[in-house]
Amino acid sequence: MLYKNPYNHYFDYVVQRDIDKCIRCKACVTQCSYGANYYDADRDLIYSLDHNCVGCMRCSTFCPTDCISIVRNPDAFRLNANWKDHNIKDLYKQAGTGGIIITGMGNDKPFTNYWEHMVVDACQVTNPSIDPLREPMELKTFLGRKPDKLEMNKNGDITTKLAPQLILETPIMFSAMSYGSINYNVCESVARASKELGIFWNTGEGGLPKALYGYGKNTIVQCASGRFGVSPEYLNAGAAIEIKIGQGAKPGIGGHLPGEKVLEGISETRMIPVGTDAISPAPHHDIYSIEDLKQLIYALKEATRYEKPISVKIAAVHNVAAIASGIARAGADIIAVDGFRGGTGAAPKAIRDNVGIPTEVAIAAVDERLRQEGIRNEVSLVAAGGFRNSSDIIKAIALGADAVYIATSALMAVGCTLCQQCHRGRCAWGITTNDPELSKRVNPELAAERLVNLIHAWSNEIKEMLGLMGINSIESLKGNRDRLRGVGLSEVELQALGIKQAGI
Amino acid sequence: MGIKSSTPYGKDFGGCGLAGIIDRSGKSVAGNMIVSSLTSMKDRGNGLGSGYAVYGAYPEFKDNFGVHVMYNDAGAREPVEQLLKTKLKLVHAEPVPVKKIHAIADPPEFWRYFVDPPDSMDKTDEDAIDDLIVNIVMDINERIDNAYVVSSGKNLGVFKGVGHPDAIAEFFKMQDYSGYLLLGHTRFPTNTPGWWGGAHPFTILDWSIVHNGEISSYGTNKRYVEMFGYKCTLLTDTEVVAYLLDLLIRKKGLSLAAAASVLAPPFWKDIEDMDPHKKDYYTALRVSYANASLNGPFAILMGFDNGILGLNDRIKLRPLIVGKKGDIVAIASEESAIREVIPEPDDVWAPKAGEPIIVTLKEDAKQ
Ligand code: SF4
Ligand code: SF4
Ligand code: SF4
């Protein structure tokens, strides 16, 4: 008797195929890494196992006759405002497996998106807007500790030595994505793009493959609780070091790399055996309090002769402002605050969707707190988590960020369709997989070009927006909340963002 | 009946107008000079704010801080005077003499106080004394309703209000004052309401600023100076420039030229091309004081006890002209305003974008 697990019936997508148009080329079969399409030679027909489909659209993209449509499964539970579709399916899944539900990418729940409730000011009459096509427009950004005061000698020469700075040609960086969670080709793409753009990429906690040491000048090397791949050579290879305390997608827990993804190169770079799970401890076991963080910051500074800025990355949580203030006082040069829409290669779904706070309010709170304490200058603030376009970035900088980190949008530039299967290591777009056959789907040269295009496009849009605000240098937008107004927000929300209501 | 127009062109037009005159030898220039210079640019304002700063106005009180206070309500006087008496030594107090004229309806009350730091303070610790004065100014502006400090420098008188430059001059009897450095401003308020406290010059201690333009970086600058205890209470973006200069020069110890290059920094592409020494210098200034740089169109004149600074934004979106003859230097929005006081100048030129014009008293000038 055909055995069918009844719960498999509750799948999300249906692969529809117009058989009249299908030329049996089997592209959809080879492109689908989830085994959802197969060819039946006897009937000379292509079939789909819909329950295997994750909706990544790889097959429909590659179908030469455009005969595939991936549609949401119309088979629907009775409408229930409390028990939403995903609540029901998750429950069945767990009843079947007894396991934690793991997912990939960022929080997809419909929380208020504050970027969409903020609008930007423009010049009219009293203040000329500036045309970026005709006038210089400066996006150069310096990240690192700034002196409170420059000391001068009697000749007027500056005697204060500037602390080490990261110099960015545009205030956008590629956020931490570890080698292992993404494959080598994607790492190389991001590194190449960073070099060409004059910005930085971040190794994440997976170490730096030897072959990418040449991109060190554009690399931020991360030191996370698992210490994977951390060696003196590694610390000195990058332009800055980032201590990863937390991540927006899963505040309070460490990184997870399933053993299936730990292949040869990854094992070597991470310094762990092939096939072992790389599970970072939830906390750093040498950091149980702020003074311990200070010790690690200074240990890393010592290890790199005080030549590199040290960044500390935290997840945006309720008390983020006070935590950030402590981090600044502990000696960090950069603080990266990762909001709850930040992506991940793998996270328990319950955590991803329910823990942490939005980047928007976190940045507003941290910037304000550091100013109140008079230490805003001593540390740069990088916003991360859920940036979708240049206007999100503009607003983050106006709220008080010095620069932003992007990762999900960078992967999308390489092809990612947000199917949320990164944890499975079977990414059909060849991104979050180490399968050599799948990894080949990303060509570093072409992918780097797309990344460069994206950042160029966004930078140009940022210039346009600065120009219409009558600003010709990004530093005059930083923390300039006067140029933002809120639409459709409550008074408390406006207050949390530190902005005024539109019309006022 | 049509709407009355202030120009023969049938419509009001303009922007702000500013003017400054200095005699480098330290000789006094008559108050009327700045009035006629400014009045020649009357069409640049709309009658909603004009003002003057006179350096050298009070030779008999030149060592005392002269605190001009504006009262929108007579009841505010008592708490201010109480504060001045408790925190400082009050040497002399008097109403600022004014002439009631038709053109100025319903003016506030003006008083001036000449004060000394309390005896308990070390007179050589000028920084602490300056800080005390700044704190008191901030305190009055922020805490005492209907009282605003108009100026607080030594030997400096500031006279400003809602009205055209000639009317304000008549009201404050500008003909009775003279000084080695005079500043004037006529205003065309757009972004901020036309009220007496919003007229220029804005001042703190010996710094006074007149400004034409709109600061698009205001939010950034405001939040920066607030970190150091300054409070922007006057509903206008120019105020922040005065505080920035006080912060950069007095607190951060920058020279005037360095402070000017913080306000209007060279472009990165130009810094790239500098020799290594200059490159490091400008990079350090720009990186360290990025929050103090001014963006948006501006022309400013800044007076201080020893001279005047004129500065344009980095792409010169507002006019600024300099003229000179002998020891007299005039800087104004329009050449006509310069020729009003120096009919035949030795030289007249338009400074480049972002290029500071610094004119100081000669070494031997008697103040
Ligand atoms: S390639 Fe993607 S969209 Fe197509 S069938 Fe497979 S899982 Fe579904
Ligand atoms: S890719 Fe399209 S045309 Fe080719 S076999 Fe699949 S459905 Fe048919
Ligand atoms: S990286 Fe790959 S697996 Fe992850 S969401 Fe994007 S397409 Fe899906």
Side-chain angles (χ1 to χ4, degrees), chain A residues 13 15 17 28 31-37 48-50 52-60 68 70 428-429:
Chain A
Y13 294 96
V15 185
R17 189 174 281 102
C28 55
Q31 290 302 321
C32 181
S33 52
Y34 298 97
N37 300 321
S48 292
L49 295 167
D50 292 341
N52 280 346
C53 175
V54 300
C56 73
M57 295 169 77
R58 179 79 187 182
C59 59
S60 56
I68 304 180
I70 306 296
W429 291 90

PDB file of all heavy atoms in Angstrom, chain A residues 13 15 17 28 31-37 48-50 52-60 68 70 428-429, ligand 1:
ATOM      1  N   TYR A  13       3.683  25.335  -1.591  1.00  0.00           N
ATOM      2  CA  TYR A  13       3.679  25.739  -3.010  1.00  0.00           C
ATOM      3  C   TYR A  13       3.253  24.613  -3.932  1.00  0.00           C
ATOM      4  O   TYR A  13       3.418  23.434  -3.615  1.00  0.00           O
ATOM      5  CB  TYR A  13       5.076  26.226  -3.432  1.00  0.00           C
ATOM      6  CG  TYR A  13       5.448  27.494  -2.702  1.00  0.00           C
ATOM      7  CD1 TYR A  13       6.231  27.439  -1.547  1.00  0.00           C
ATOM      8  CD2 TYR A  13       4.974  28.723  -3.138  1.00  0.00           C
ATOM      9  CE1 TYR A  13       6.531  28.590  -0.845  1.00  0.00           C
ATOM     10  CE2 TYR A  13       5.269  29.878  -2.443  1.00  0.00           C
ATOM     11  CZ  TYR A  13       6.049  29.808  -1.300  1.00  0.00           C
ATOM     12  OH  TYR A  13       6.332  30.942  -0.625  1.00  0.00           O
ATOM     13  N   VAL A  15       3.769  23.488  -8.018  1.00  0.00           N
ATOM     14  CA  VAL A  15       4.474  23.786  -9.259  1.00  0.00           C
ATOM     15  C   VAL A  15       3.492  23.540 -10.398  1.00  0.00           C
ATOM     16  O   VAL A  15       3.083  22.406 -10.638  1.00  0.00           O
ATOM     17  CB  VAL A  15       5.701  22.862  -9.429  1.00  0.00           C
ATOM     18  CG1 VAL A  15       6.501  23.258 -10.670  1.00  0.00           C
ATOM     19  CG2 VAL A  15       6.579  22.877  -8.179  1.00  0.00           C
ATOM     20  N   ARG A  17       2.636  23.531 -14.369  1.00  0.00           N
ATOM     21  CA  ARG A  17       3.430  23.413 -15.601  1.00  0.00           C
ATOM     22  C   ARG A  17       2.471  23.339 -16.777  1.00  0.00           C
ATOM     23  O   ARG A  17       1.530  22.541 -16.765  1.00  0.00           O
ATOM     24  CB  ARG A  17       4.296  22.156 -15.494  1.00  0.00           C
ATOM     25  CG  ARG A  17       5.315  21.990 -16.573  1.00  0.00           C
ATOM     26  CD  ARG A  17       6.202  20.809 -16.297  1.00  0.00           C
ATOM     27  NE  ARG A  17       7.259  21.067 -15.318  1.00  0.00           N
ATOM     28  CZ  ARG A  17       7.247  20.692 -14.057  1.00  0.00           C
ATOM     29  NH1 ARG A  17       6.230  20.000 -13.587  1.00  0.00           N
ATOM     30  NH2 ARG A  17       8.250  20.983 -13.258  1.00  0.00           N
ATOM     31  N   CYS A  28      14.350  22.136 -15.366  1.00  0.00           N
ATOM     32  CA  CYS A  28      13.736  22.294 -14.044  1.00  0.00           C
ATOM     33  C   CYS A  28      14.135  21.145 -13.121  1.00  0.00           C
ATOM     34  O   CYS A  28      14.253  21.316 -11.914  1.00  0.00           O
ATOM     35  CB  CYS A  28      12.216  22.397 -14.171  1.00  0.00           C
ATOM     36  SG  CYS A  28      11.471  21.030 -15.051  1.00  0.00           S
ATOM     37  N   GLN A  31      17.842  21.882 -12.133  1.00  0.00           N
ATOM     38  CA  GLN A  31      18.001  23.101 -11.336  1.00  0.00           C
ATOM     39  C   GLN A  31      17.414  22.952  -9.935  1.00  0.00           C
ATOM     40  O   GLN A  31      17.904  23.574  -8.992  1.00  0.00           O
ATOM     41  CB  GLN A  31      17.334  24.292 -12.043  1.00  0.00           C
ATOM     42  CG  GLN A  31      18.058  24.747 -13.307  1.00  0.00           C
ATOM     43  CD  GLN A  31      19.491  25.141 -13.047  1.00  0.00           C
ATOM     44  OE1 GLN A  31      19.805  25.755 -12.044  1.00  0.00           O
ATOM     45  NE2 GLN A  31      20.390  24.748 -13.939  1.00  0.00           N
ATOM     46  N   CYS A  32      16.392  22.146  -9.780  1.00  0.00           N
ATOM     47  CA  CYS A  32      15.780  22.043  -8.452  1.00  0.00           C
ATOM     48  C   CYS A  32      16.650  21.189  -7.537  1.00  0.00           C
ATOM     49  O   CYS A  32      16.864  20.005  -7.782  1.00  0.00           O
ATOM     50  CB  CYS A  32      14.384  21.431  -8.530  1.00  0.00           C
ATOM     51  SG  CYS A  32      13.640  21.348  -6.876  1.00  0.00           S
ATOM     52  N   SER A  33      17.168  21.809  -6.502  1.00  0.00           N
ATOM     53  CA  SER A  33      18.043  21.069  -5.582  1.00  0.00           C
ATOM     54  C   SER A  33      17.254  20.419  -4.461  1.00  0.00           C
ATOM     55  O   SER A  33      17.829  19.847  -3.550  1.00  0.00           O
ATOM     56  CB  SER A  33      19.082  22.023  -5.012  1.00  0.00           C
ATOM     57  OG  SER A  33      18.431  23.164  -4.471  1.00  0.00           O
ATOM     58  N   TYR A  34      15.949  20.543  -4.519  1.00  0.00           N
ATOM     59  CA  TYR A  34      15.125  19.971  -3.450  1.00  0.00           C
ATOM     60  C   TYR A  34      14.349  18.747  -3.932  1.00  0.00           C
ATOM     61  O   TYR A  34      13.454  18.262  -3.251  1.00  0.00           O
ATOM     62  CB  TYR A  34      14.163  21.044  -2.912  1.00  0.00           C
ATOM     63  CG  TYR A  34      14.912  22.208  -2.317  1.00  0.00           C
ATOM     64  CD1 TYR A  34      15.153  23.352  -3.065  1.00  0.00           C
ATOM     65  CD2 TYR A  34      15.414  22.129  -1.009  1.00  0.00           C
ATOM     66  CE1 TYR A  34      15.874  24.413  -2.533  1.00  0.00           C
ATOM     67  CE2 TYR A  34      16.123  23.184  -0.480  1.00  0.00           C
ATOM     68  CZ  TYR A  34      16.359  24.319  -1.244  1.00  0.00           C
ATOM     69  OH  TYR A  34      17.067  25.343  -0.708  1.00  0.00           O
ATOM     70  N   GLY A  35      14.678  18.262  -5.121  1.00  0.00           N
ATOM     71  CA  GLY A  35      14.046  17.059  -5.643  1.00  0.00           C
ATOM     72  C   GLY A  35      12.562  17.215  -5.891  1.00  0.00           C
ATOM     73  O   GLY A  35      11.783  16.267  -5.755  1.00  0.00           O
ATOM     74  N   ALA A  36      12.147  18.387  -6.260  1.00  0.00           N
ATOM     75  CA  ALA A  36      10.714  18.605  -6.446  1.00  0.00           C
ATOM     76  C   ALA A  36      10.250  18.290  -7.872  1.00  0.00           C
ATOM     77  O   ALA A  36       9.069  18.131  -8.112  1.00  0.00           O
ATOM     78  CB  ALA A  36      10.355  20.036  -6.079  1.00  0.00           C
ATOM     79  N   ASN A  37      11.179  18.222  -8.809  1.00  0.00           N
ATOM     80  CA  ASN A  37      10.780  17.959 -10.193  1.00  0.00           C
ATOM     81  C   ASN A  37      11.445  16.668 -10.679  1.00  0.00           C
ATOM     82  O   ASN A  37      12.604  16.401 -10.352  1.00  0.00           O
ATOM     83  CB  ASN A  37      11.215  19.107 -11.110  1.00  0.00           C
ATOM     84  CG  ASN A  37      10.582  20.426 -10.693  1.00  0.00           C
ATOM     85  OD1 ASN A  37       9.418  20.453 -10.302  1.00  0.00           O
ATOM     86  ND2 ASN A  37      11.354  21.506 -10.757  1.00  0.00           N
ATOM     87  N   SER A  48       5.991  17.044 -10.811  1.00  0.00           N
ATOM     88  CA  SER A  48       6.543  17.707  -9.621  1.00  0.00           C
ATOM     89  C   SER A  48       6.003  17.069  -8.355  1.00  0.00           C
ATOM     90  O   SER A  48       4.843  16.646  -8.315  1.00  0.00           O
ATOM     91  CB  SER A  48       6.167  19.184  -9.616  1.00  0.00           C
ATOM     92  OG  SER A  48       6.832  19.831 -10.669  1.00  0.00           O
ATOM     93  N   LEU A  49       6.889  16.991  -7.350  1.00  0.00           N
ATOM     94  CA  LEU A  49       6.456  16.584  -6.013  1.00  0.00           C
ATOM     95  C   LEU A  49       6.272  17.885  -5.250  1.00  0.00           C
ATOM     96  O   LEU A  49       7.229  18.440  -4.703  1.00  0.00           O
ATOM     97  CB  LEU A  49       7.532  15.715  -5.343  1.00  0.00           C
ATOM     98  CG  LEU A  49       7.793  14.368  -6.033  1.00  0.00           C
ATOM     99  CD1 LEU A  49       9.074  13.738  -5.497  1.00  0.00           C
ATOM    100  CD2 LEU A  49       6.606  13.445  -5.804  1.00  0.00           C
ATOM    101  N   ASP A  50       5.085  18.371  -5.268  1.00  0.00           N
ATOM    102  CA  ASP A  50       4.856  19.712  -4.737  1.00  0.00           C
ATOM    103  C   ASP A  50       5.299  19.873  -3.290  1.00  0.00           C
ATOM    104  O   ASP A  50       5.759  20.927  -2.881  1.00  0.00           O
ATOM    105  CB  ASP A  50       3.369  20.086  -4.864  1.00  0.00           C
ATOM    106  CG  ASP A  50       2.965  20.267  -6.320  1.00  0.00           C
ATOM    107  OD1 ASP A  50       3.867  20.468  -7.159  1.00  0.00           O
ATOM    108  OD2 ASP A  50       1.765  20.194  -6.612  1.00  0.00           O
ATOM    109  N   ASN A  52       7.830  18.945  -1.939  1.00  0.00           N
ATOM    110  CA  ASN A  52       9.270  19.239  -1.818  1.00  0.00           C
ATOM    111  C   ASN A  52       9.610  20.669  -2.227  1.00  0.00           C
ATOM    112  O   ASN A  52      10.717  21.142  -2.006  1.00  0.00           O
ATOM    113  CB  ASN A  52      10.079  18.292  -2.701  1.00  0.00           C
ATOM    114  CG  ASN A  52      10.272  16.940  -2.052  1.00  0.00           C
ATOM    115  OD1 ASN A  52      10.028  16.803  -0.853  1.00  0.00           O
ATOM    116  ND2 ASN A  52      10.690  15.959  -2.820  1.00  0.00           N
ATOM    117  N   CYS A  53       8.680  21.326  -2.837  1.00  0.00           N
ATOM    118  CA  CYS A  53       8.985  22.653  -3.390  1.00  0.00           C
ATOM    119  C   CYS A  53       9.048  23.704  -2.273  1.00  0.00           C
ATOM    120  O   CYS A  53       8.166  23.764  -1.419  1.00  0.00           O
ATOM    121  CB  CYS A  53       7.931  23.043  -4.419  1.00  0.00           C
ATOM    122  SG  CYS A  53       8.155  24.720  -5.020  1.00  0.00           S
ATOM    123  N   VAL A  54      10.088  24.521  -2.302  1.00  0.00           N
ATOM    124  CA  VAL A  54      10.234  25.567  -1.278  1.00  0.00           C
ATOM    125  C   VAL A  54       9.925  26.954  -1.857  1.00  0.00           C
ATOM    126  O   VAL A  54      10.097  27.967  -1.190  1.00  0.00           O
ATOM    127  CB  VAL A  54      11.659  25.573  -0.680  1.00  0.00           C
ATOM    128  CG1 VAL A  54      11.957  24.231  -0.031  1.00  0.00           C
ATOM    129  CG2 VAL A  54      12.709  25.912  -1.736  1.00  0.00           C
ATOM    130  N   GLY A  55       9.543  26.996  -3.102  1.00  0.00           N
ATOM    131  CA  GLY A  55       9.191  28.278  -3.707  1.00  0.00           C
ATOM    132  C   GLY A  55      10.385  29.148  -4.025  1.00  0.00           C
ATOM    133  O   GLY A  55      10.291  30.372  -3.989  1.00  0.00           O
ATOM    134  N   CYS A  56      11.529  28.542  -4.371  1.00  0.00           N
ATOM    135  CA  CYS A  56      12.733  29.354  -4.614  1.00  0.00           C
ATOM    136  C   CYS A  56      12.773  29.919  -6.026  1.00  0.00           C
ATOM    137  O   CYS A  56      13.607  30.747  -6.342  1.00  0.00           O
ATOM    138  CB  CYS A  56      13.988  28.533  -4.344  1.00  0.00           C
ATOM    139  SG  CYS A  56      14.304  27.301  -5.616  1.00  0.00           S
ATOM    140  N   MET A  57      11.902  29.428  -6.895  1.00  0.00           N
ATOM    141  CA  MET A  57      11.762  29.929  -8.264  1.00  0.00           C
ATOM    142  C   MET A  57      12.979  29.723  -9.152  1.00  0.00           C
ATOM    143  O   MET A  57      13.108  30.366 -10.190  1.00  0.00           O
ATOM    144  CB  MET A  57      11.359  31.406  -8.243  1.00  0.00           C
ATOM    145  CG  MET A  57       9.979  31.582  -7.627  1.00  0.00           C
ATOM    146  SD  MET A  57       9.579  33.263  -7.284  1.00  0.00           S
ATOM    147  CE  MET A  57       9.198  33.839  -8.903  1.00  0.00           C
ATOM    148  N   ARG A  58      13.835  28.820  -8.725  1.00  0.00           N
ATOM    149  CA  ARG A  58      14.993  28.527  -9.579  1.00  0.00           C
ATOM    150  C   ARG A  58      14.516  27.895 -10.891  1.00  0.00           C
ATOM    151  O   ARG A  58      14.979  28.241 -11.953  1.00  0.00           O
ATOM    152  CB  ARG A  58      15.936  27.578  -8.831  1.00  0.00           C
ATOM    153  CG  ARG A  58      17.169  27.161  -9.599  1.00  0.00           C
ATOM    154  CD  ARG A  58      18.237  28.226  -9.578  1.00  0.00           C
ATOM    155  NE  ARG A  58      19.338  27.863 -10.474  1.00  0.00           N
ATOM    156  CZ  ARG A  58      20.437  28.584 -10.627  1.00  0.00           C
ATOM    157  NH1 ARG A  58      20.605  29.696  -9.939  1.00  0.00           N
ATOM    158  NH2 ARG A  58      21.380  28.212 -11.451  1.00  0.00           N
ATOM    159  N   CYS A  59      13.579  26.940 -10.775  1.00  0.00           N
ATOM    160  CA  CYS A  59      13.139  26.219 -11.974  1.00  0.00           C
ATOM    161  C   CYS A  59      12.383  27.136 -12.929  1.00  0.00           C
ATOM    162  O   CYS A  59      12.623  27.116 -14.134  1.00  0.00           O
ATOM    163  CB  CYS A  59      12.291  25.015 -11.583  1.00  0.00           C
ATOM    164  SG  CYS A  59      10.823  25.470 -10.639  1.00  0.00           S
ATOM    165  N   SER A  60      11.512  27.947 -12.379  1.00  0.00           N
ATOM    166  CA  SER A  60      10.724  28.792 -13.278  1.00  0.00           C
ATOM    167  C   SER A  60      11.613  29.811 -13.971  1.00  0.00           C
ATOM    168  O   SER A  60      11.386  30.193 -15.111  1.00  0.00           O
ATOM    169  CB  SER A  60       9.579  29.473 -12.524  1.00  0.00           C
ATOM    170  OG  SER A  60      10.061  30.199 -11.433  1.00  0.00           O
ATOM    171  N   ILE A  68       6.569  27.216 -16.393  1.00  0.00           N
ATOM    172  CA  ILE A  68       6.348  26.897 -14.975  1.00  0.00           C
ATOM    173  C   ILE A  68       5.860  28.131 -14.221  1.00  0.00           C
ATOM    174  O   ILE A  68       6.379  29.233 -14.421  1.00  0.00           O
ATOM    175  CB  ILE A  68       7.656  26.412 -14.305  1.00  0.00           C
ATOM    176  CG1 ILE A  68       8.228  25.225 -15.062  1.00  0.00           C
ATOM    177  CG2 ILE A  68       7.431  26.076 -12.834  1.00  0.00           C
ATOM    178  CD1 ILE A  68       9.519  24.691 -14.479  1.00  0.00           C
ATOM    179  N   ILE A  70       5.211  29.003 -10.096  1.00  0.00           N
ATOM    180  CA  ILE A  70       5.197  28.516  -8.727  1.00  0.00           C
ATOM    181  C   ILE A  70       4.090  29.296  -8.024  1.00  0.00           C
ATOM    182  O   ILE A  70       4.154  30.518  -7.939  1.00  0.00           O
ATOM    183  CB  ILE A  70       6.548  28.788  -8.031  1.00  0.00           C
ATOM    184  CG1 ILE A  70       7.697  28.206  -8.865  1.00  0.00           C
ATOM    185  CG2 ILE A  70       6.562  28.249  -6.616  1.00  0.00           C
ATOM    186  CD1 ILE A  70       7.676  26.709  -9.016  1.00  0.00           C
ATOM    187  N   ALA A 428      19.284  26.438  -3.971  1.00  0.00           N
ATOM    188  CA  ALA A 428      19.246  26.221  -5.418  1.00  0.00           C
ATOM    189  C   ALA A 428      19.946  27.341  -6.181  1.00  0.00           C
ATOM    190  O   ALA A 428      20.300  27.178  -7.344  1.00  0.00           O
ATOM    191  CB  ALA A 428      17.794  26.109  -5.879  1.00  0.00           C
ATOM    192  N   TRP A 429      20.130  28.460  -5.517  1.00  0.00           N
ATOM    193  CA  TRP A 429      20.818  29.576  -6.168  1.00  0.00           C
ATOM    194  C   TRP A 429      22.320  29.540  -5.921  1.00  0.00           C
ATOM    195  O   TRP A 429      23.046  30.450  -6.310  1.00  0.00           O
ATOM    196  CB  TRP A 429      20.207  30.917  -5.718  1.00  0.00           C
ATOM    197  CG  TRP A 429      18.822  31.051  -6.267  1.00  0.00           C
ATOM    198  CD1 TRP A 429      17.663  30.636  -5.679  1.00  0.00           C
ATOM    199  CD2 TRP A 429      18.465  31.546  -7.558  1.00  0.00           C
ATOM    200  NE1 TRP A 429      16.592  30.856  -6.520  1.00  0.00           N
ATOM    201  CE2 TRP A 429      17.056  31.430  -7.676  1.00  0.00           C
ATOM    202  CE3 TRP A 429      19.183  32.098  -8.622  1.00  0.00           C
ATOM    203  CZ2 TRP A 429      16.358  31.821  -8.824  1.00  0.00           C
ATOM    204  CZ3 TRP A 429      18.491  32.508  -9.756  1.00  0.00           C
ATOM    205  CH2 TRP A 429      17.096  32.363  -9.859  1.00  0.00           C
TER     206      TRP A 429
HETATM  207  S1  SF4 C   1      13.431  24.830  -8.045  1.00  0.00           S
HETATM  208 FE1  SF4 C   1      12.542  25.784  -6.301  1.00  0.00          FE
HETATM  209  S2  SF4 C   1      10.612  26.542  -7.006  1.00  0.00           S
HETATM  210 FE2  SF4 C   1      11.269  25.050  -8.488  1.00  0.00          FE
HETATM  211  S3  SF4 C   1      10.365  23.178  -7.805  1.00  0.00           S
HETATM  212 FE3  SF4 C   1      12.354  23.252  -6.922  1.00  0.00          FE
HETATM  213  S4  SF4 C   1      12.027  24.171  -4.935  1.00  0.00           S
HETATM  214 FE4  SF4 C   1      10.205  24.560  -6.137  1.00  0.00          FE
END
